Amino acid sequence: MRFRALGILAVLACFCAVPSLTSAQTRAEVEAQYQDWLNSVIWPRAQAARVQRATFDRAFAGARLNWDLPDLVPPGQPAPTERRQSQAEFGSPGKYFNRGSVDGATTVGRQMAGRHAATLAAVERSTSVPGRIILAIWGRESGYGRVAIPHNVFEVLGTKGFMSTRADYFTEELIAALQIAEAGHAPEGAMKSSWAGALGQPQFMPSNFLKYAADGDGDGRADIWRSEADTIASIGTYLARHGWDSARDWGFEVTVPAGVSCALEGPDQGRPISEWEAMGIARIGGKAFPAHERRATGFLLMPAGRYGPAFVVTPNFYVLKDYNMSDLYALFVGHVGDRIQYGMGDFQGDWGQVGGLLRSDVAAMQRALIAQGHDVGGADGLAGFKTRRSIGRWQEAQGRAATCFPQRDMRSELR
């Protein structure tokens, strides 16, 4: 079965061409600046990190800039102020849970659960991270190793370190990638990455490989490119070191009464699950919350505001967000993991037809809310929980029913 992996490996589809160069600056001139930067900035840093010159030269043999990568800012050019994004996180939340992605990750995940039962059990014993969660991440990131990884990591990180909106971050990752090559961790020719520089089947950024890659098959290596056991162990190690609590689930789908404000969402507004129950929030299907969960803290999550399913999540949900800082990603992983192990069906709440705004439209709303004193988490054009609840609070202040999600008809009022 083939299905689309939509994790960090997915290529960003966008109408965000590299800003036009000035007449005094050609691409050839920028390429020359890049070569100077590699030798005058990156080589000294790599040498300080104990990378040998031969390793450096092999990494950048025939090195050129990749002008097709997103979010590039050539030297001397202003950063773009408006771009259209089509990643699921920036569009309608429901698209993230399309039939093919959910069913494919579930079906193949069940096959992998049987094939790697012994490894999954061993990793769960050593890390306390459930195998179903590890499988769901593996499926999301690389289709269980079936999705081709297209890019040369040194070309990607070199380009983005030299001219991107997060140049310092990608420069650090470039040095880490050189350290991986110097240590000989990767098989010959395997230093392929996503458009963002993520490596191998678990799609680790190079710095995360150096911290969390683990040997799951006992051969003394952490081969996240070819070894499924090492991939499983590495994902489990990552989540364990980020605080996975084996006593807690990741979350529960719930119904939220109209009288409970969607602006109560967020990891900084937690309360015992029993208190959410007392407010009328109930688990879907009439199921009771487990007794130990009722006594523990839960957090309201409404990723599409009033236009989609609602959840009470645990701190483990935010451990999943440490892997990928998207509410939808973490929700997908928890949901698919449950489907793999427990045979659970779709969410019972419907995803509404919302989203599809320009990222710059959302950013304009965020700036307007900031001007009114709201904490939206930054004007980045992404409808995270701080933005969603700020919209809800603004709506409530206007005497409206809070929906907690950006919509087209808000653009004229929130400018």
Side-chain angles (χ1 to χ4, degrees):
M1 176 179 291
R2 300 182 64 188
F3 63 97
R4 186 181 178 198
L6 291 174
I8 195 171
L9 182 60
V11 176
L12 179 64
C14 60
F15 300 97
C16 49
V18 177
S20 299
L21 299 176
T22 64
S23 58
Q25 184 184 46
T26 66
R27 283 197 176 188
E29 289 170 332
V30 175
E31 293 278 359
Q33 293 178 49
Y34 176 53
Q35 297 298 327
D36 289 341
W37 176 78
L38 287 176
N39 286 298
S40 64
V41 176
I42 299 304
W43 165 239
R45 291 192 56 178
Q47 188 176 32
R50 300 186 177 181
V51 174
Q52 299 298 309
R53 184 73 201 199
T55 301
F56 183 88
D57 288 343
R58 282 195 300 271
F60 294 106
R64 295 183 61 82
L65 293 169
N66 184 338
W67 293 86
D68 294 326
L69 296 174
D71 299 325
L72 300 185
V73 185
Q77 301 298 307
T81 58
E82 182 168 316
R83 60 178 65 86
R84 185 182 298 274
Q85 307 277 354
S86 64
Q87 265 187 308
E89 286 91 343
F90 310 138
S92 175
K95 291 181 180 179
Y96 204 91
F97 299 87
N98 68 80
R99 186 81 278 145
S101 293
V102 172
D103 287 352
T106 300
T107 300
V108 180
R110 289 173 182 159
Q111 296 170 5
M112 293 296 180
R115 184 179 305 171
H116 300 288
T119 299
L120 288 162
V123 171
E124 185 163 350
R125 285 193 299 271
S126 64
T127 66
S128 297
V129 178
R132 73 184 195 277
I133 297 296
I134 294 172
L135 287 168
I137 288 178
W138 185 16
R140 190 61 178 174
E141 293 296 344
S142 66
Y144 303 98
R146 299 180 178 196
V147 174
I149 301 174
H151 298 290
N152 179 309
V153 70
F154 300 109
E155 178 182 278
V156 168
L157 295 176
T159 298
K160 294 178 81 69
F162 178 64
M163 58 172 195
S164 81
T165 55
R166 300 174 64 201
D168 291 344
Y169 167 76
F170 287 109
T171 297
E172 294 293 334
E173 294 297 338
L174 176 58
I175 300 301
L178 288 165
Q179 290 177 293
I180 292 170
E182 178 63 34
H185 291 300
E188 186 68 27
M191 291 293 278
K192 298 292 186 179
S193 77
S194 71
W195 63 266
L199 297 167
Q201 296 187 47
Q203 286 291 275
F204 276 179
M205 293 303 289
S207 61
N208 282 335
F209 175 92
L210 295 175
K211 295 174 187 174
Y212 308 115
D215 176 15
D217 55 19
D219 67 352
R221 298 169 57 86
D223 184 351
I224 63 171
W225 295 272
R226 297 177 300 184
S227 170
E228 294 173 328
D230 290 0
T231 295
I232 290 168
S234 297
I235 295 171
T237 298
Y238 183 100
L239 296 177
R241 293 189 186 172
H242 281 78
W244 186 273
D245 182 353
S246 61
R248 304 292 305 275
D249 207 323
W250 67 268
F252 309 90
E253 187 181 1
V254 298
T255 56
V256 180
V260 176
S261 174
C262 52
L264 292 175
E265 182 184 7
D268 53 352
Q269 298 192 101
R271 62 186 71 198
I273 291 178
S274 59
E275 292 188 15
W276 291 116
E277 281 186 301
M279 296 167 66
I281 291 178
R283 194 173 172 190
I284 284 290
K287 297 179 181 178
F289 291 102
H292 72 283
E293 295 281 12
R294 292 185 72 251
R295 296 188 294 269
T297 300
F299 311 91
L300 185 62
L301 172 74
M302 301 182 73
R306 288 285 181 180
Y307 301 105
F311 307 86
V312 168
V313 298
T314 77
N316 283 339
F317 179 84
Y318 297 101
V319 174
L320 296 178
K321 284 193 66 175
D322 285 331
Y323 205 101
N324 181 311
M325 287 301 295
S326 161
D327 288 331
L328 299 179
Y329 176 94
L331 188 58
F332 183 96
V333 166
H335 180 54
V336 167
D338 287 348
R339 293 171 71 99
I340 289 171
Q341 183 163 336
Y342 306 126
M344 295 179 67
D346 294 339
F347 296 134
Q348 292 192 24
D350 293 327
W351 295 101
Q353 296 300 312
V354 292
L357 293 170
L358 283 173
R359 190 164 167 178
S360 55
D361 289 333
V362 179
M365 295 180 195
Q366 290 170 322
R367 287 191 292 270
L369 289 165
I370 291 170
Q372 296 181 30
H374 293 278
D375 176 10
V376 301
D380 59 2
L382 305 180
F385 76 90
K386 288 187 176 182
T387 294
R388 296 194 296 264
R389 73 187 185 191
S390 292
I391 288 173
R393 291 167 181 169
W394 170 76
Q395 290 171 316
E396 290 170 347
Q398 299 292 315
R400 307 178 188 182
T403 61
C404 297
F405 203 80
Q407 296 172 266
R408 293 182 184 278
D409 60 5
M410 298 176 185
R411 289 181 298 182
S412 60
E413 294 181 86
L414 283 174
R415 296 185 65 82

